[in-house]
Structure formats: C-alpha cells, structure tokens
Amino acid sequence: LQVETDLVGLLMLGEKRSGDMYTLQDIKFLKMLSPELAIAVKNAQLFGRMEKKIAELNALNKVATSLSSTIALPKLLDGILEEALFVIGAESGSIMLIDEETQTLRIETARGIDPEILARTEIKMGEGVAGWVAQSEEPLVLVDAEDERFKKDLRRAEIISSLAVPLKTKDKVIGVLNVNR
C-alpha cells in the first residue's frame, strides 16, 4: 500500500475460502483497491497526528490561560502537571521547584507517586535525574533504565521510561517537570 513514495502498509491475503486459486481478475481488483486503501491508511495516520497536535495545543492554551489569571501557585502547578501527563500519556509525574537557600529540589505537586516518597524527597542540585536536569539545564529522556548514572534510582522507583525537563524563567532554572511510564 503506497501513497506517492511512502509505503504505508501491506495487504496480504491467505487462501480463498472456496479453496480456488487467485485469478488475474482478483489481482486486477486488488491493484485497483490498494491505492484507495493506502490513501485511507495515510489519512487515518495524519488524522491521528492532527488529533495529538490539537491535544497539545489545547493543553498549551489551558496552561497559558492559567498563567494569565490570578491563580495560586499550587493550583497552577497542579494544572500544568495534569495537562503534561494527559498530552504525553504518562502514568505518573511531578513538578519539583528549587529552594534557593538550600539549593535542593522539592516536589510541589505529583500524580501517581507513593506519598511516602513525596514526603521524604529532597534532591541536591546535580544529584539524581532531577538534580542533573536542573544543573545542566538540559532535558533528559531515559528509556529502559539504561543510563548507568540513574539506573539505581529508576529501578528503586520501578520506572522504566522517564522524561525530565527543566522549568525556566528567562535564563534561570526554577524547577524540573518529570513524567514517567
């Protein structure tokens, strides 16, 4: 199934129910049908991507609306995390903010994380995933807990995949957004 130069799929048929062999007429029919099927598949793929982009734009719009209103910080962070988890399709996540005095990160809001972990988590700049992201000011994608630097931490929290991005205001990192699974 091909649209222009893109191969979008393959149509394979097994034996005919009747047990008969395929004929030239069957082949001609499939040759006429395959471009239509290919276009339908391509359109479905494009529609799926468009739906994802619309969800992302809606999430950004909600966050922008929240930012422009006089909303309390905990409620704002909660909304941002909720939208990030929804758009990305993650199971759990948190937003950590930097305490300027102690130079540590503390969880301000979270979803799907054990309350015991929430209560005792305080990460120094440069340590662990969030500490590294805050200090380096670079996002970090971890898949299958393969990064040796963070393997132990991820296994302890039973995290297979994770995405952590720095939260910045102008040129300053103020925290880290983490999403998992």
Side-chain angles (χ1 to χ4, degrees):
L1 303 176
Q2 193 167 345
V3 176
E4 296 173 3
T5 59
D6 293 339
L7 181 65
V8 296
L10 179 65
L11 175 63
M12 292 180 53
L13 301 176
E15 293 181 17
K16 280 186 157 183
R17 287 185 191 159
S18 66
D20 294 340
M21 299 294 288
Y22 287 103
T23 65
L24 287 175
Q25 187 176 358
D26 293 330
I27 293 170
K28 284 180 183 177
F29 173 72
L30 291 175
K31 281 185 175 180
M32 284 181 6
L33 180 64
S34 67
E36 300 300 322
L37 287 173
I39 289 170
V41 168
K42 186 74 169 182
N43 285 342
Q45 290 171 337
L46 291 172
F47 184 75
R49 284 189 212 126
M50 187 175 65
E51 280 186 319
K52 183 168 174 37
K53 289 291 179 194
I54 289 170
E56 290 170 357
L57 290 172
N58 281 334
L60 285 172
N61 186 36
K62 283 184 181 179
V63 169
T65 301
S66 295
L67 289 171
S68 65
S69 65
T70 55
I71 192 167
L73 183 61
K75 191 171 181 182
L76 174 65
L77 295 176
D78 225 32
I80 291 169
L81 180 60
E82 190 79 28
E83 290 301 321
L85 292 174
F86 172 75
V87 169
I88 293 171
E91 289 181 16
S92 64
S94 67
I95 293 180
M96 305 178 83
L97 296 182
I98 298 172
D99 180 326
E100 290 293 328
E101 287 180 27
T102 63
Q103 286 297 293
T104 58
L105 289 151
R106 290 198 181 107
I107 297 173
E108 295 296 323
T109 188
R111 293 276 188 291
I113 296 176
D114 185 335
E116 199 173 292
I117 292 172
L118 296 176
R120 68 171 191 252
T121 298
E122 189 170 312
I123 298 173
K124 293 179 183 175
M125 294 292 283
E127 292 183 1
V129 173
W132 184 89
V133 168
Q135 190 170 55
S136 70
E137 299 185 16
E138 294 292 325
L140 182 63
V141 178
L142 299 167
V143 180
D144 295 330
E146 289 299 316
D147 193 315
E148 290 299 323
R149 299 171 295 175
F150 311 112
K151 201 174 212 172
K152 188 175 101 180
D153 295 334
L154 295 175
R155 281 195 181 149
R156 187 176 58 234
E158 297 177 3
I159 295 172
I160 297 167
S161 62
S162 183
L163 169 64
V165 295
L167 299 174
K168 295 182 179 181
T169 58
K170 296 184 184 174
D171 296 329
K172 182 179 176 185
V173 174
I174 61 166
V176 176
L177 168 65
N178 304 288
V179 293
N180 309 306
R181 291 185 292 280

